[in-house]
Amino acid sequence: MRRLTPYLLALPSWMWLAIFLVVPMVAMASVSLQTGNAIDGYAMTFSFSNYGDAIGRYSTQLLRSLLYGGLATLAMLVIGYPVAYWIAFKGGTRKSMYLFLLLLPFFVSFVLRTISWNFLLSDNGILLGTLKGWGLLPADFHVLATTFAVIGGLTYNFLPFMILPIYVALERVDPRVVEAAQDLYATRAAAFRRVVLPLSLPGVFAGVLMTFVPATADPINAAILGGTSNTMIGNIIQTEYLTNLDYPTASALSFTLMAVLLVGIFVYARALGTENVLEAAAR
Amino acid sequence: MTGLSAIELEDVVKEYHSHGEVVQAVKGVTLDIAEGEFFSLLGPSGCGKTTTMRMIAGFEAPSKGLVRLHGQDVTNVPPNKRDVNMVFQSYALFPHMSVWDNVAFGLKQRKTPQEEIRRRVGEMLEIVDLAGRDKRMPRQMSGGQQQRVALARALVNRPRALLLDEPLGALDLKLRQAMQIELKRIQREVGITFVYVTHDQNEALTMSDRIAVMNDGLVEQLAGPREIYERPATPFVAGFIGTSNLLTGAATGGELKIGGGRVLVPGHDGDVTVTVRPEKITIGTEEPGPGRSAVRGTVAEVVYLGTYNSYAVSLADGAEITVFQQNVHDATATAERGDSVWLSWQAQHSYVIGS
């Protein structure tokens, strides 16, 4: 009995995963192979061509999503790393306060935060309207419904997920190791490049994972900030599922997206040699 | 000692601002460390010894005063431009680099030719007895091995001075003693100046040519180990180095009346503080003849410590004196708890502090 105890304790979580992860996945996988229409219903026909059709029809949006997700991730890395660095090394006794400030926007719902951007950036809103009123911007200048707005929104919304893991990794870097590098003739820049950066890579890796995946799949920023010409794959899946009631296409697209992201992550992990990096940083 | 100055500190002060208050960690230290010397900064934690060393390394800038390395003013020179290297207390090895890359780091930063790096790193690993372990990662090594990597990483650059910040603190006693001898050997072999920060008086006494005993941001005494042990300049030094008995009182005619006896302090009159080392004192039941300092007391405690017995003896006036007696003949104690005894020592073994 005693031997079984750990398994029994783990049972609820296994059940949870089985019911709410495995079952829906299997159901979705089966739906993705069905044919039919919204009125008469769908039947299983093992129609693998659903995938080809869906990808063919929406390859633009799929590629656009990967591009937007990638660019937003890059922007988050460029903005987030210095912030994490600053909090970890210069935050002093106020570290927790800075982290709290960073998370403060998260007390407001994701959709509302994005809508507030809409409000802020609207063509004649507080920001652009004022600047236009002063004659600093041409009257037809706009930010909303552009690629820039969508990537900006994604960057803003997921930024803390980039900063936090990098912060955690940097926080663990012993300042004396940095001093040792400087003692061994490294300039500040060289000490960063050869010591701090490599030791923070596990955090960067985690941060990229935690932002690239949801940013690529996100439908909300494109819907609220992107207008009609910046549709991402998340929006398509949503429309197919909720408006067109074309469940097989929506499911096939979901699985395609998942596969693309998994392959991407795998290649990325290989390229960065995460295992070595993680091992080294784990000491 | 060749007499040339390797490191000079001139009235160096380090102040920190904390909660609107100015705290002085180092309150004016002047040192002149000679080329090739094994120099120790010894003191309790918080005495300013590590801050002093960090100012030599360049990690802290003095609030006042000058730091010179080989005659050149380096007060405001960053650490990467100073020809000294440091061995950190926790070793601070680069956790993501192999032993080889750790040791080669400084040479690579200085753009040393590849061939020379290979030769020098190889030689250095040989010296610290780590040849063949160069591909290991630091976390795969024991504390003693990491210690030696840290030492090799600093020494391979052939710095003109090596700074060591309590480098043996994390090792167990046996290993620490072995490393003390090892460090001394390496220092003799490479012939460079070692500045050694420690709170362990045995370590400082064993290895150093000279010791600066620090307390509360100031140097209390700067002298050789023998001098510091035998002739402590202040009560703090007497108390910090080894076990020491302090006797205070007013001397008249070169004699201090104390504990039903006398302490001979030839040439001294007035208030004096006298130290006597526990191992110089003889314990007995008979009153000793004249010519020796002698006091009466009662044995309060006897502790058997293997090579010697330690006695705590209470004098009539309440003072307590510690006596060490070697177990030369057998392990039985000369006196038992509660015995009334005479303690005596040669006149020359009383040292009047500050004289």
mmCIF file of all heavy atoms in Angstrom, chain A residues 160-200:
data_model
loop_
_atom_site.group_PDB
_atom_site.id
_atom_site.type_symbol
_atom_site.label_atom_id
_atom_site.label_comp_id
_atom_site.label_asym_id
_atom_site.label_seq_id
_atom_site.Cartn_x
_atom_site.Cartn_y
_atom_site.Cartn_z
ATOM 1 N N PRO A 160 6.285 40.744 -20.100
ATOM 2 C CA PRO A 160 6.698 40.214 -18.790
ATOM 3 C C PRO A 160 7.110 38.742 -18.831
ATOM 4 O O PRO A 160 7.977 38.317 -18.065
ATOM 5 C CB PRO A 160 5.448 40.400 -17.922
ATOM 6 C CG PRO A 160 4.718 41.514 -18.571
ATOM 7 C CD PRO A 160 4.963 41.355 -20.042
ATOM 8 N N PHE A 161 6.526 37.981 -19.749
ATOM 9 C CA PHE A 161 6.906 36.560 -19.838
ATOM 10 C C PHE A 161 8.311 36.385 -20.398
ATOM 11 O O PHE A 161 8.908 35.320 -20.274
ATOM 12 C CB PHE A 161 5.901 35.794 -20.712
ATOM 13 C CG PHE A 161 4.532 35.781 -20.121
ATOM 14 C CD1 PHE A 161 3.491 36.468 -20.734
ATOM 15 C CD2 PHE A 161 4.278 35.096 -18.945
ATOM 16 C CE1 PHE A 161 2.227 36.467 -20.173
ATOM 17 C CE2 PHE A 161 3.024 35.096 -18.385
ATOM 18 C CZ PHE A 161 1.992 35.781 -18.997
ATOM 19 N N MET A 162 8.802 37.417 -21.062
ATOM 20 C CA MET A 162 10.187 37.399 -21.508
ATOM 21 C C MET A 162 11.095 37.852 -20.363
ATOM 22 O O MET A 162 12.141 37.265 -20.102
ATOM 23 C CB MET A 162 10.353 38.329 -22.718
ATOM 24 C CG MET A 162 11.758 38.399 -23.270
ATOM 25 S SD MET A 162 12.311 36.819 -23.933
ATOM 26 C CE MET A 162 11.773 36.989 -25.634
ATOM 27 N N ILE A 163 10.669 38.908 -19.682
ATOM 28 C CA ILE A 163 11.532 39.506 -18.659
ATOM 29 C C ILE A 163 11.734 38.572 -17.461
ATOM 30 O O ILE A 163 12.851 38.395 -16.985
ATOM 31 C CB ILE A 163 10.946 40.859 -18.192
ATOM 32 C CG1 ILE A 163 10.951 41.851 -19.359
ATOM 33 C CG2 ILE A 163 11.752 41.415 -17.019
ATOM 34 C CD1 ILE A 163 10.340 43.192 -19.030
ATOM 35 N N LEU A 164 10.651 37.955 -16.994
ATOM 36 C CA LEU A 164 10.756 37.184 -15.747
ATOM 37 C C LEU A 164 11.768 36.043 -15.806
ATOM 38 O O LEU A 164 12.627 35.961 -14.943
ATOM 39 C CB LEU A 164 9.371 36.701 -15.304
ATOM 40 C CG LEU A 164 8.464 37.828 -14.781
ATOM 41 C CD1 LEU A 164 7.079 37.305 -14.444
ATOM 42 C CD2 LEU A 164 9.076 38.509 -13.567
ATOM 43 N N PRO A 165 11.695 35.152 -16.810
ATOM 44 C CA PRO A 165 12.712 34.076 -16.815
ATOM 45 C C PRO A 165 14.134 34.596 -16.984
ATOM 46 O O PRO A 165 15.061 34.041 -16.389
ATOM 47 C CB PRO A 165 12.307 33.180 -17.988
ATOM 48 C CG PRO A 165 11.213 33.853 -18.694
ATOM 49 C CD PRO A 165 10.684 34.974 -17.862
ATOM 50 N N ILE A 166 14.314 35.647 -17.772
ATOM 51 C CA ILE A 166 15.671 36.193 -17.926
ATOM 52 C C ILE A 166 16.138 36.777 -16.591
ATOM 53 O O ILE A 166 17.272 36.575 -16.164
ATOM 54 C CB ILE A 166 15.714 37.273 -19.033
ATOM 55 C CG1 ILE A 166 15.338 36.653 -20.371
ATOM 56 C CG2 ILE A 166 17.108 37.894 -19.113
ATOM 57 C CD1 ILE A 166 15.319 37.638 -21.515
ATOM 58 N N TYR A 167 15.208 37.452 -15.915
ATOM 59 C CA TYR A 167 15.542 38.003 -14.599
ATOM 60 C C TYR A 167 15.990 36.898 -13.643
ATOM 61 O O TYR A 167 16.996 37.024 -12.946
ATOM 62 C CB TYR A 167 14.336 38.760 -14.027
ATOM 63 C CG TYR A 167 14.476 39.045 -12.547
ATOM 64 C CD1 TYR A 167 15.261 40.092 -12.103
ATOM 65 C CD2 TYR A 167 13.851 38.232 -11.603
ATOM 66 C CE1 TYR A 167 15.412 40.337 -10.756
ATOM 67 C CE2 TYR A 167 13.997 38.466 -10.255
ATOM 68 C CZ TYR A 167 14.786 39.519 -9.836
ATOM 69 O OH TYR A 167 14.943 39.741 -8.501
ATOM 70 N N VAL A 168 15.227 35.811 -13.630
ATOM 71 C CA VAL A 168 15.557 34.704 -12.720
ATOM 72 C C VAL A 168 16.960 34.168 -13.021
ATOM 73 O O VAL A 168 17.752 33.914 -12.113
ATOM 74 C CB VAL A 168 14.498 33.580 -12.822
ATOM 75 C CG1 VAL A 168 14.951 32.346 -12.069
ATOM 76 C CG2 VAL A 168 13.165 34.068 -12.280
ATOM 77 N N ALA A 169 17.274 34.033 -14.314
ATOM 78 C CA ALA A 169 18.596 33.516 -14.681
ATOM 79 C C ALA A 169 19.698 34.500 -14.276
ATOM 80 O O ALA A 169 20.732 34.103 -13.744
ATOM 81 C CB ALA A 169 18.652 33.241 -16.181
ATOM 82 N N LEU A 170 19.459 35.785 -14.520
ATOM 83 C CA LEU A 170 20.485 36.789 -14.197
ATOM 84 C C LEU A 170 20.674 36.923 -12.690
ATOM 85 O O LEU A 170 21.778 37.121 -12.200
ATOM 86 C CB LEU A 170 20.099 38.142 -14.794
ATOM 87 C CG LEU A 170 20.272 38.270 -16.295
ATOM 88 C CD1 LEU A 170 19.664 39.569 -16.792
ATOM 89 C CD2 LEU A 170 21.743 38.207 -16.677
ATOM 90 N N GLU A 171 19.570 36.815 -11.982
ATOM 91 C CA GLU A 171 19.604 36.926 -10.532
ATOM 92 C C GLU A 171 20.531 35.874 -9.928
ATOM 93 O O GLU A 171 21.162 36.094 -8.900
ATOM 94 C CB GLU A 171 18.166 36.769 -10.010
ATOM 95 C CG GLU A 171 18.034 36.561 -8.541
ATOM 96 C CD GLU A 171 18.091 37.857 -7.776
ATOM 97 O OE1 GLU A 171 18.966 38.689 -8.050
ATOM 98 O OE2 GLU A 171 17.255 38.041 -6.910
ATOM 99 N N ARG A 172 20.612 34.733 -10.603
ATOM 100 C CA ARG A 172 21.432 33.638 -10.075
ATOM 101 C C ARG A 172 22.906 33.783 -10.423
ATOM 102 O O ARG A 172 23.729 33.007 -9.951
ATOM 103 C CB ARG A 172 20.906 32.302 -10.604
ATOM 104 C CG ARG A 172 19.659 31.842 -9.869
ATOM 105 C CD ARG A 172 19.103 30.581 -10.464
ATOM 106 N NE ARG A 172 20.124 29.553 -10.608
ATOM 107 C CZ ARG A 172 19.951 28.471 -11.341
ATOM 108 N NH1 ARG A 172 18.831 28.284 -11.987
ATOM 109 N NH2 ARG A 172 20.905 27.576 -11.420
ATOM 110 N N VAL A 173 23.247 34.730 -11.264
ATOM 111 C CA VAL A 173 24.652 34.916 -11.617
ATOM 112 C C VAL A 173 25.366 35.580 -10.435
ATOM 113 O O VAL A 173 24.978 36.654 -9.993
ATOM 114 C CB VAL A 173 24.786 35.795 -12.886
ATOM 115 C CG1 VAL A 173 26.247 36.098 -13.162
ATOM 116 C CG2 VAL A 173 24.161 35.098 -14.077
ATOM 117 N N ASP A 174 26.385 34.905 -9.919
ATOM 118 C CA ASP A 174 27.150 35.417 -8.782
ATOM 119 C C ASP A 174 27.937 36.653 -9.223
ATOM 120 O O ASP A 174 28.761 36.568 -10.129
ATOM 121 C CB ASP A 174 28.098 34.301 -8.319
ATOM 122 C CG ASP A 174 28.911 34.704 -7.101
ATOM 123 O OD1 ASP A 174 28.814 35.870 -6.683
ATOM 124 O OD2 ASP A 174 29.628 33.835 -6.581
ATOM 125 N N PRO A 175 27.701 37.801 -8.589
ATOM 126 C CA PRO A 175 28.428 39.013 -8.996
ATOM 127 C C PRO A 175 29.944 38.834 -8.921
ATOM 128 O O PRO A 175 30.685 39.469 -9.656
ATOM 129 C CB PRO A 175 27.980 40.078 -7.989
ATOM 130 C CG PRO A 175 26.811 39.524 -7.285
ATOM 131 C CD PRO A 175 26.792 38.046 -7.465
ATOM 132 N N ARG A 176 30.380 37.927 -8.052
ATOM 133 C CA ARG A 176 31.821 37.717 -7.931
ATOM 134 C C ARG A 176 32.401 37.057 -9.173
ATOM 135 O O ARG A 176 33.572 37.227 -9.497
ATOM 136 C CB ARG A 176 32.143 36.885 -6.691
ATOM 137 C CG ARG A 176 32.384 37.779 -5.502
ATOM 138 C CD ARG A 176 32.433 36.989 -4.253
ATOM 139 N NE ARG A 176 31.179 36.273 -4.081
ATOM 140 C CZ ARG A 176 30.754 35.799 -2.935
ATOM 141 N NH1 ARG A 176 31.485 35.937 -1.856
ATOM 142 N NH2 ARG A 176 29.607 35.176 -2.850
ATOM 143 N N VAL A 177 31.553 36.281 -9.889
ATOM 144 C CA VAL A 177 32.026 35.672 -11.131
ATOM 145 C C VAL A 177 32.279 36.763 -12.173
ATOM 146 O O VAL A 177 33.246 36.704 -12.937
ATOM 147 C CB VAL A 177 30.994 34.637 -11.632
ATOM 148 C CG1 VAL A 177 31.356 34.144 -13.008
ATOM 149 C CG2 VAL A 177 30.904 33.480 -10.661
ATOM 150 N N VAL A 178 31.433 37.781 -12.151
ATOM 151 C CA VAL A 178 31.627 38.912 -13.067
ATOM 152 C C VAL A 178 32.890 39.673 -12.669
ATOM 153 O O VAL A 178 33.703 40.054 -13.519
ATOM 154 C CB VAL A 178 30.402 39.844 -13.032
ATOM 155 C CG1 VAL A 178 30.559 40.934 -14.066
ATOM 156 C CG2 VAL A 178 29.129 39.056 -13.262
ATOM 157 N N GLU A 179 33.071 39.855 -11.369
ATOM 158 C CA GLU A 179 34.285 40.510 -10.891
ATOM 159 C C GLU A 179 35.520 39.715 -11.286
ATOM 160 O O GLU A 179 36.541 40.279 -11.679
ATOM 161 C CB GLU A 179 34.249 40.670 -9.369
ATOM 162 C CG GLU A 179 33.358 41.805 -8.917
ATOM 163 C CD GLU A 179 33.403 42.005 -7.410
ATOM 164 O OE1 GLU A 179 33.966 41.137 -6.705
ATOM 165 O OE2 GLU A 179 32.874 43.033 -6.946
ATOM 166 N N ALA A 180 35.412 38.388 -11.181
ATOM 167 C CA ALA A 180 36.551 37.538 -11.539
ATOM 168 C C ALA A 180 36.928 37.770 -12.998
ATOM 169 O O ALA A 180 38.110 37.855 -13.328
ATOM 170 C CB ALA A 180 36.218 36.067 -11.294
ATOM 171 N N ALA A 181 35.921 37.894 -13.865
ATOM 172 C CA ALA A 181 36.216 38.138 -15.283
ATOM 173 C C ALA A 181 36.928 39.471 -15.451
ATOM 174 O O ALA A 181 37.909 39.581 -16.193
ATOM 175 C CB ALA A 181 34.928 38.108 -16.096
ATOM 176 N N GLN A 182 36.453 40.489 -14.738
ATOM 177 C CA GLN A 182 37.093 41.801 -14.852
ATOM 178 C C GLN A 182 38.504 41.759 -14.281
ATOM 179 O O GLN A 182 39.418 42.396 -14.806
ATOM 180 C CB GLN A 182 36.263 42.855 -14.117
ATOM 181 C CG GLN A 182 34.992 43.188 -14.869
ATOM 182 C CD GLN A 182 34.082 44.111 -14.086
ATOM 183 O OE1 GLN A 182 34.416 44.574 -13.001
ATOM 184 N NE2 GLN A 182 32.913 44.375 -14.628
ATOM 185 N N ASP A 183 38.664 40.990 -13.203
ATOM 186 C CA ASP A 183 39.982 40.837 -12.611
ATOM 187 C C ASP A 183 40.937 40.180 -13.606
ATOM 188 O O ASP A 183 42.119 40.431 -13.598
ATOM 189 C CB ASP A 183 39.868 39.991 -11.343
ATOM 190 C CG ASP A 183 41.185 39.908 -10.585
ATOM 191 O OD1 ASP A 183 41.703 40.972 -10.217
ATOM 192 O OD2 ASP A 183 41.688 38.790 -10.397
ATOM 193 N N LEU A 184 40.378 39.308 -14.470
ATOM 194 C CA LEU A 184 41.184 38.610 -15.464
ATOM 195 C C LEU A 184 41.178 39.385 -16.781
ATOM 196 O O LEU A 184 41.074 38.814 -17.854
ATOM 197 C CB LEU A 184 40.677 37.180 -15.651
ATOM 198 C CG LEU A 184 40.857 36.299 -14.403
ATOM 199 C CD1 LEU A 184 39.992 35.073 -14.473
ATOM 200 C CD2 LEU A 184 42.311 35.913 -14.229
ATOM 201 N N TYR A 185 41.242 40.690 -16.688
ATOM 202 C CA TYR A 185 41.508 41.598 -17.806
ATOM 203 C C TYR A 185 40.338 41.790 -18.766
ATOM 204 O O TYR A 185 40.511 42.398 -19.821
ATOM 205 C CB TYR A 185 42.756 41.177 -18.596
ATOM 206 C CG TYR A 185 43.875 40.727 -17.702
ATOM 207 C CD1 TYR A 185 44.320 39.414 -17.710
ATOM 208 C CD2 TYR A 185 44.459 41.619 -16.803
ATOM 209 C CE1 TYR A 185 45.323 38.993 -16.852
ATOM 210 C CE2 TYR A 185 45.462 41.207 -15.945
ATOM 211 C CZ TYR A 185 45.895 39.895 -15.981
ATOM 212 O OH TYR A 185 46.873 39.485 -15.125
ATOM 213 N N ALA A 186 39.152 41.251 -18.443
ATOM 214 C CA ALA A 186 38.021 41.462 -19.340
ATOM 215 C C ALA A 186 37.449 42.860 -19.102
ATOM 216 O O ALA A 186 37.298 43.288 -17.965
ATOM 217 C CB ALA A 186 36.945 40.413 -19.091
ATOM 218 N N THR A 187 37.142 43.552 -20.206
ATOM 219 C CA THR A 187 36.433 44.824 -20.073
ATOM 220 C C THR A 187 35.005 44.496 -19.634
ATOM 221 O O THR A 187 34.599 43.342 -19.640
ATOM 222 C CB THR A 187 36.375 45.560 -21.416
ATOM 223 O OG1 THR A 187 35.728 44.684 -22.352
ATOM 224 C CG2 THR A 187 37.765 45.902 -21.917
ATOM 225 N N ARG A 188 34.238 45.543 -19.294
ATOM 226 C CA ARG A 188 32.853 45.296 -18.904
ATOM 227 C C ARG A 188 32.099 44.569 -20.016
ATOM 228 O O ARG A 188 31.349 43.636 -19.771
ATOM 229 C CB ARG A 188 32.149 46.624 -18.613
ATOM 230 C CG ARG A 188 32.420 47.121 -17.224
ATOM 231 C CD ARG A 188 32.074 48.587 -17.101
ATOM 232 N NE ARG A 188 32.375 49.064 -15.769
ATOM 233 C CZ ARG A 188 31.554 48.913 -14.732
ATOM 234 N NH1 ARG A 188 30.397 48.308 -14.882
ATOM 235 N NH2 ARG A 188 31.891 49.343 -13.538
ATOM 236 N N ALA A 189 32.341 45.013 -21.255
ATOM 237 C CA ALA A 189 31.652 44.407 -22.398
ATOM 238 C C ALA A 189 32.057 42.940 -22.550
ATOM 239 O O ALA A 189 31.215 42.064 -22.750
ATOM 240 C CB ALA A 189 31.961 45.185 -23.664
ATOM 241 N N ALA A 190 33.349 42.667 -22.421
ATOM 242 C CA ALA A 190 33.828 41.292 -22.585
ATOM 243 C C ALA A 190 33.312 40.411 -21.449
ATOM 244 O O ALA A 190 32.940 39.251 -21.679
ATOM 245 C CB ALA A 190 35.357 41.264 -22.613
ATOM 246 N N ALA A 191 33.266 40.953 -20.238
ATOM 247 C CA ALA A 191 32.751 40.174 -19.105
ATOM 248 C C ALA A 191 31.284 39.820 -19.343
ATOM 249 O O ALA A 191 30.846 38.716 -19.046
ATOM 250 C CB ALA A 191 32.897 40.961 -17.803
ATOM 251 N N PHE A 192 30.553 40.758 -19.908
ATOM 252 C CA PHE A 192 29.149 40.474 -20.218
ATOM 253 C C PHE A 192 29.053 39.388 -21.281
ATOM 254 O O PHE A 192 28.335 38.411 -21.118
ATOM 255 C CB PHE A 192 28.445 41.744 -20.707
ATOM 256 C CG PHE A 192 27.039 41.485 -21.155
ATOM 257 C CD1 PHE A 192 26.030 41.316 -20.226
ATOM 258 C CD2 PHE A 192 26.740 41.374 -22.511
ATOM 259 C CE1 PHE A 192 24.730 41.040 -20.636
ATOM 260 C CE2 PHE A 192 25.448 41.094 -22.924
ATOM 261 C CZ PHE A 192 24.446 40.932 -21.980
ATOM 262 N N ARG A 193 29.815 39.542 -22.348
ATOM 263 C CA ARG A 193 29.704 38.630 -23.483
ATOM 264 C C ARG A 193 30.154 37.212 -23.122
ATOM 265 O O ARG A 193 29.526 36.236 -23.499
ATOM 266 C CB ARG A 193 30.547 39.175 -24.635
ATOM 267 C CG ARG A 193 30.094 38.710 -26.004
ATOM 268 C CD ARG A 193 30.927 39.339 -27.110
ATOM 269 N NE ARG A 193 32.325 39.003 -26.992
ATOM 270 C CZ ARG A 193 33.302 39.881 -26.747
ATOM 271 N NH1 ARG A 193 33.024 41.149 -26.581
ATOM 272 N NH2 ARG A 193 34.559 39.494 -26.649
ATOM 273 N N ARG A 194 31.234 37.113 -22.357
ATOM 274 C CA ARG A 194 31.793 35.784 -22.118
ATOM 275 C C ARG A 194 31.235 35.121 -20.864
ATOM 276 O O ARG A 194 31.355 33.915 -20.693
ATOM 277 C CB ARG A 194 33.332 35.869 -21.990
ATOM 278 C CG ARG A 194 34.011 36.475 -23.187
ATOM 279 C CD ARG A 194 34.687 35.476 -24.113
ATOM 280 N NE ARG A 194 34.941 34.164 -23.582
ATOM 281 C CZ ARG A 194 36.127 33.685 -23.300
ATOM 282 N NH1 ARG A 194 37.176 34.423 -23.475
ATOM 283 N NH2 ARG A 194 36.259 32.462 -22.855
ATOM 284 N N VAL A 195 30.681 35.908 -19.939
ATOM 285 C CA VAL A 195 30.239 35.311 -18.681
ATOM 286 C C VAL A 195 28.743 35.518 -18.417
ATOM 287 O O VAL A 195 27.987 34.560 -18.319
ATOM 288 C CB VAL A 195 31.069 35.865 -17.492
ATOM 289 C CG1 VAL A 195 30.553 35.303 -16.176
ATOM 290 C CG2 VAL A 195 32.535 35.517 -17.677
ATOM 291 N N VAL A 196 28.306 36.780 -18.366
ATOM 292 C CA VAL A 196 26.915 37.032 -17.990
ATOM 293 C C VAL A 196 25.949 36.474 -19.028
ATOM 294 O O VAL A 196 25.002 35.756 -18.702
ATOM 295 C CB VAL A 196 26.662 38.544 -17.777
ATOM 296 C CG1 VAL A 196 25.220 38.788 -17.389
ATOM 297 C CG2 VAL A 196 27.599 39.073 -16.715
ATOM 298 N N LEU A 197 26.210 36.792 -20.290
ATOM 299 C CA LEU A 197 25.299 36.354 -21.351
ATOM 300 C C LEU A 197 25.160 34.830 -21.413
ATOM 301 O O LEU A 197 24.037 34.318 -21.379
ATOM 302 C CB LEU A 197 25.735 36.952 -22.689
ATOM 303 C CG LEU A 197 24.786 36.691 -23.867
ATOM 304 C CD1 LEU A 197 23.431 37.313 -23.603
ATOM 305 C CD2 LEU A 197 25.362 37.238 -25.171
ATOM 306 N N PRO A 198 26.277 34.089 -21.477
ATOM 307 C CA PRO A 198 26.120 32.625 -21.512
ATOM 308 C C PRO A 198 25.354 32.082 -20.303
ATOM 309 O O PRO A 198 24.561 31.163 -20.440
ATOM 310 C CB PRO A 198 27.553 32.087 -21.522
ATOM 311 C CG PRO A 198 28.419 33.220 -21.882
ATOM 312 C CD PRO A 198 27.693 34.488 -21.601
ATOM 313 N N LEU A 199 25.591 32.677 -19.136
ATOM 314 C CA LEU A 199 24.922 32.168 -17.939
ATOM 315 C C LEU A 199 23.439 32.521 -17.933
ATOM 316 O O LEU A 199 22.652 31.892 -17.225
ATOM 317 C CB LEU A 199 25.603 32.712 -16.676
ATOM 318 C CG LEU A 199 26.981 32.128 -16.375
ATOM 319 C CD1 LEU A 199 27.601 32.790 -15.161
ATOM 320 C CD2 LEU A 199 26.890 30.618 -16.154
ATOM 321 N N SER A 200 23.043 33.530 -18.718
ATOM 322 C CA SER A 200 21.629 33.903 -18.731
ATOM 323 C C SER A 200 20.870 33.215 -19.864
ATOM 324 O O SER A 200 19.656 33.346 -19.966
ATOM 325 C CB SER A 200 21.484 35.423 -18.858
ATOM 326 O OG SER A 200 21.916 35.845 -20.136
#
